[in-house]
Amino acid sequence: MTIPEAKCGVYTPVQLGIRITNNTQSFFYFSSYVYSMFPEMIPPDSQVMVTGLHSERLNKPLESDYVLVVPGETVTFSRDAFLFWIQNWKKKRDRQLTLNIPFPSEDIYAFRPLYPGTYQFRFKYCEYREGMEEYYHWIEPTILQTILQNLWTGEVLTPFVEIRLVES
């Protein structure tokens, strides 16, 4: 990817996502909720980057965050991320190249500062039933019960993909 010009409003779109195939004989729900898909990025120096999760409010899970996948079918959860420069308001000339990964719930995962080089990127998908019983405040109880009974649980790491950042 070409690093965008260091100007306000200039960015490079990045398509990221996770594809899940139900290879079982059972129907399962998979979650696209922000806390189920955690992005991980490793820069050229091989130290896992710490990401910030920016949230304007406590985002409740919605029924639409849980997708039913029939046996043999595939679902893709895509994220329209973007690469841009963020400016330090106190030091106007101090800018950091940033990768933002927004979620529909208005939460944003952010990686910064970024530099030219080759990065490794993946998603960690985690879903567990513990604590979900409290979702009845936001999801109708009979629907929530159906989701809980058919929810795929566990943790999976997607394969790393290379992201090369180059200057124009």
Side-chain angles (χ1 to χ4, degrees), residues 1-27:
M1 287 185 294
T2 302
I3 295 172
E5 224 179 309
K7 287 185 175 178
C8 184
V10 177
Y11 64 93
T12 298
V14 181
Q15 183 71 35
L16 300 171
I18 181 172
R19 184 175 53 236
I20 299 170
T21 301
N22 183 351
N23 289 324
T24 72
Q25 297 300 312
S26 303
F27 292 82

Short mmCIF file of all heavy atoms in Angstrom, two decimals, residues 1-27:
data_model
loop_
_atom_site.label_atom_id
_atom_site.label_comp_id
_atom_site.label_asym_id
_atom_site.label_seq_id
_atom_site.Cartn_x
_atom_site.Cartn_y
_atom_site.Cartn_z
N MET A 1 0.84 -1.18 0.00
CA MET A 1 0.00 0.00 0.00
C MET A 1 0.88 1.23 0.00
O MET A 1 1.89 1.27 0.70
CB MET A 1 -0.88 0.03 1.24
CG MET A 1 -1.99 -0.97 1.23
SD MET A 1 -3.06 -0.78 2.66
CE MET A 1 -1.96 -1.24 3.95
N THR A 2 0.44 2.21 -0.75
CA THR A 2 1.17 3.47 -0.79
C THR A 2 0.73 4.34 0.39
O THR A 2 -0.46 4.50 0.64
CB THR A 2 0.89 4.21 -2.11
OG1 THR A 2 1.28 3.35 -3.19
CG2 THR A 2 1.66 5.49 -2.19
N ILE A 3 1.69 4.87 1.09
CA ILE A 3 1.41 5.75 2.22
C ILE A 3 0.80 7.03 1.66
O ILE A 3 1.36 7.63 0.73
CB ILE A 3 2.70 6.04 3.01
CG1 ILE A 3 3.21 4.75 3.65
CG2 ILE A 3 2.46 7.13 4.06
CD1 ILE A 3 4.57 4.86 4.31
N PRO A 4 -0.34 7.46 2.20
CA PRO A 4 -0.97 8.68 1.67
C PRO A 4 -0.15 9.93 1.98
O PRO A 4 0.69 9.93 2.88
CB PRO A 4 -2.32 8.72 2.39
CG PRO A 4 -2.12 7.94 3.63
CD PRO A 4 -1.08 6.89 3.31
N GLU A 5 -0.44 10.96 1.23
CA GLU A 5 0.18 12.25 1.45
C GLU A 5 -0.19 12.73 2.86
O GLU A 5 -1.28 12.50 3.34
CB GLU A 5 -0.42 13.25 0.44
CG GLU A 5 0.59 14.13 -0.22
CD GLU A 5 -0.10 15.06 -1.21
OE1 GLU A 5 -0.86 14.55 -2.05
OE2 GLU A 5 0.15 16.27 -1.12
N ALA A 6 0.75 13.40 3.52
CA ALA A 6 0.53 13.87 4.88
C ALA A 6 -0.29 15.15 4.89
O ALA A 6 0.16 16.21 5.31
CB ALA A 6 1.86 14.07 5.60
N LYS A 7 -1.52 15.05 4.39
CA LYS A 7 -2.44 16.19 4.35
C LYS A 7 -3.76 15.79 5.00
O LYS A 7 -4.17 14.63 4.93
CB LYS A 7 -2.72 16.60 2.91
CG LYS A 7 -1.60 17.29 2.21
CD LYS A 7 -2.08 17.74 0.84
CE LYS A 7 -1.05 18.54 0.11
NZ LYS A 7 -1.52 18.91 -1.23
N CYS A 8 -4.43 16.77 5.53
CA CYS A 8 -5.75 16.54 6.12
C CYS A 8 -6.73 16.03 5.06
O CYS A 8 -6.80 16.58 3.97
CB CYS A 8 -6.25 17.84 6.74
SG CYS A 8 -7.81 17.65 7.61
N GLY A 9 -7.45 14.98 5.36
CA GLY A 9 -8.47 14.46 4.47
C GLY A 9 -7.96 13.49 3.42
O GLY A 9 -8.74 12.95 2.64
N VAL A 10 -6.65 13.22 3.38
CA VAL A 10 -6.08 12.28 2.41
C VAL A 10 -5.88 10.95 3.13
O VAL A 10 -5.24 10.89 4.18
CB VAL A 10 -4.74 12.80 1.84
CG1 VAL A 10 -4.14 11.78 0.89
CG2 VAL A 10 -4.95 14.14 1.15
N TYR A 11 -6.43 9.87 2.56
CA TYR A 11 -6.29 8.56 3.18
C TYR A 11 -6.26 7.48 2.11
O TYR A 11 -6.62 7.71 0.96
CB TYR A 11 -7.42 8.30 4.17
CG TYR A 11 -8.78 8.23 3.53
CD1 TYR A 11 -9.30 7.00 3.13
CD2 TYR A 11 -9.54 9.38 3.31
CE1 TYR A 11 -10.54 6.92 2.52
CE2 TYR A 11 -10.78 9.30 2.71
CZ TYR A 11 -11.27 8.08 2.32
OH TYR A 11 -12.50 7.99 1.72
N THR A 12 -5.80 6.32 2.51
CA THR A 12 -5.76 5.14 1.64
C THR A 12 -6.74 4.12 2.20
O THR A 12 -6.59 3.70 3.35
CB THR A 12 -4.34 4.53 1.59
OG1 THR A 12 -3.44 5.50 1.05
CG2 THR A 12 -4.31 3.27 0.75
N PRO A 13 -7.75 3.71 1.42
CA PRO A 13 -8.68 2.69 1.92
C PRO A 13 -7.99 1.32 1.96
O PRO A 13 -7.13 1.00 1.13
CB PRO A 13 -9.81 2.70 0.90
CG PRO A 13 -9.26 3.34 -0.32
CD PRO A 13 -8.11 4.20 0.10
N VAL A 14 -8.35 0.53 2.97
CA VAL A 14 -7.79 -0.80 3.17
C VAL A 14 -8.95 -1.75 3.47
O VAL A 14 -9.74 -1.47 4.37
CB VAL A 14 -6.80 -0.82 4.36
CG1 VAL A 14 -6.21 -2.21 4.55
CG2 VAL A 14 -5.70 0.22 4.19
N GLN A 15 -9.06 -2.84 2.72
CA GLN A 15 -10.12 -3.82 2.95
C GLN A 15 -9.54 -4.96 3.79
O GLN A 15 -8.61 -5.63 3.37
CB GLN A 15 -10.65 -4.36 1.62
CG GLN A 15 -11.79 -5.32 1.76
CD GLN A 15 -13.08 -4.65 2.21
OE1 GLN A 15 -13.37 -3.53 1.84
NE2 GLN A 15 -13.85 -5.34 3.00
N LEU A 16 -10.08 -5.14 5.00
CA LEU A 16 -9.66 -6.21 5.89
C LEU A 16 -10.89 -7.04 6.25
O LEU A 16 -12.01 -6.54 6.20
CB LEU A 16 -9.04 -5.64 7.17
CG LEU A 16 -7.80 -4.77 6.99
CD1 LEU A 16 -7.45 -4.11 8.31
CD2 LEU A 16 -6.65 -5.59 6.48
N GLY A 17 -10.68 -8.25 6.65
CA GLY A 17 -11.82 -9.06 7.05
C GLY A 17 -11.43 -10.45 7.47
O GLY A 17 -10.25 -10.81 7.49
N ILE A 18 -12.45 -11.21 7.80
CA ILE A 18 -12.28 -12.59 8.22
C ILE A 18 -13.36 -13.41 7.53
O ILE A 18 -14.53 -13.01 7.48
CB ILE A 18 -12.35 -12.71 9.76
CG1 ILE A 18 -12.13 -14.15 10.23
CG2 ILE A 18 -13.62 -12.15 10.31
CD1 ILE A 18 -12.00 -14.27 11.74
N ARG A 19 -12.96 -14.54 6.95
CA ARG A 19 -13.91 -15.42 6.27
C ARG A 19 -14.04 -16.69 7.10
O ARG A 19 -13.03 -17.31 7.45
CB ARG A 19 -13.41 -15.74 4.86
CG ARG A 19 -14.41 -16.57 4.07
CD ARG A 19 -13.99 -16.78 2.62
NE ARG A 19 -12.65 -17.32 2.51
CZ ARG A 19 -11.67 -16.77 1.81
NH1 ARG A 19 -11.86 -15.64 1.17
NH2 ARG A 19 -10.47 -17.33 1.77
N ILE A 20 -15.28 -17.06 7.42
CA ILE A 20 -15.55 -18.23 8.25
C ILE A 20 -16.39 -19.21 7.45
O ILE A 20 -17.42 -18.84 6.88
CB ILE A 20 -16.31 -17.83 9.53
CG1 ILE A 20 -15.47 -16.85 10.36
CG2 ILE A 20 -16.70 -19.06 10.34
CD1 ILE A 20 -16.21 -16.21 11.51
N THR A 21 -15.93 -20.46 7.39
CA THR A 21 -16.68 -21.52 6.72
C THR A 21 -17.14 -22.52 7.77
O THR A 21 -16.35 -22.96 8.61
CB THR A 21 -15.81 -22.24 5.67
OG1 THR A 21 -15.37 -21.27 4.72
CG2 THR A 21 -16.59 -23.34 4.96
N ASN A 22 -18.42 -22.85 7.74
CA ASN A 22 -18.98 -23.84 8.66
C ASN A 22 -18.76 -25.22 8.05
O ASN A 22 -19.51 -25.64 7.19
CB ASN A 22 -20.47 -23.56 8.90
CG ASN A 22 -21.07 -24.52 9.90
OD1 ASN A 22 -20.44 -25.49 10.30
ND2 ASN A 22 -22.30 -24.24 10.30
N ASN A 23 -17.73 -25.90 8.52
CA ASN A 23 -17.38 -27.23 8.01
C ASN A 23 -18.01 -28.36 8.83
O ASN A 23 -17.53 -29.49 8.79
CB ASN A 23 -15.86 -27.41 7.97
CG ASN A 23 -15.22 -26.57 6.90
OD1 ASN A 23 -15.78 -26.40 5.82
ND2 ASN A 23 -14.05 -26.03 7.19
N THR A 24 -19.06 -28.06 9.56
CA THR A 24 -19.73 -29.08 10.38
C THR A 24 -21.07 -29.44 9.75
O THR A 24 -21.46 -28.88 8.73
CB THR A 24 -19.96 -28.57 11.81
OG1 THR A 24 -21.01 -27.58 11.78
CG2 THR A 24 -18.69 -27.97 12.40
N GLN A 25 -21.79 -30.33 10.41
CA GLN A 25 -23.14 -30.71 9.98
C GLN A 25 -24.21 -29.93 10.75
O GLN A 25 -25.40 -30.20 10.60
CB GLN A 25 -23.35 -32.22 10.18
CG GLN A 25 -22.41 -33.07 9.34
CD GLN A 25 -22.59 -32.81 7.85
OE1 GLN A 25 -23.69 -32.79 7.33
NE2 GLN A 25 -21.48 -32.59 7.16
N SER A 26 -23.79 -28.98 11.59
CA SER A 26 -24.71 -28.22 12.44
C SER A 26 -24.75 -26.75 12.04
O SER A 26 -23.79 -26.21 11.51
CB SER A 26 -24.26 -28.31 13.91
OG SER A 26 -24.17 -29.65 14.32
N PHE A 27 -25.88 -26.12 12.35
CA PHE A 27 -26.01 -24.68 12.17
C PHE A 27 -25.30 -24.00 13.33
O PHE A 27 -25.41 -24.44 14.47
CB PHE A 27 -27.49 -24.27 12.20
CG PHE A 27 -28.26 -24.77 11.02
CD1 PHE A 27 -28.76 -26.07 10.98
CD2 PHE A 27 -28.51 -23.94 9.94
CE1 PHE A 27 -29.48 -26.53 9.90
CE2 PHE A 27 -29.22 -24.39 8.86
CZ PHE A 27 -29.72 -25.68 8.83
#
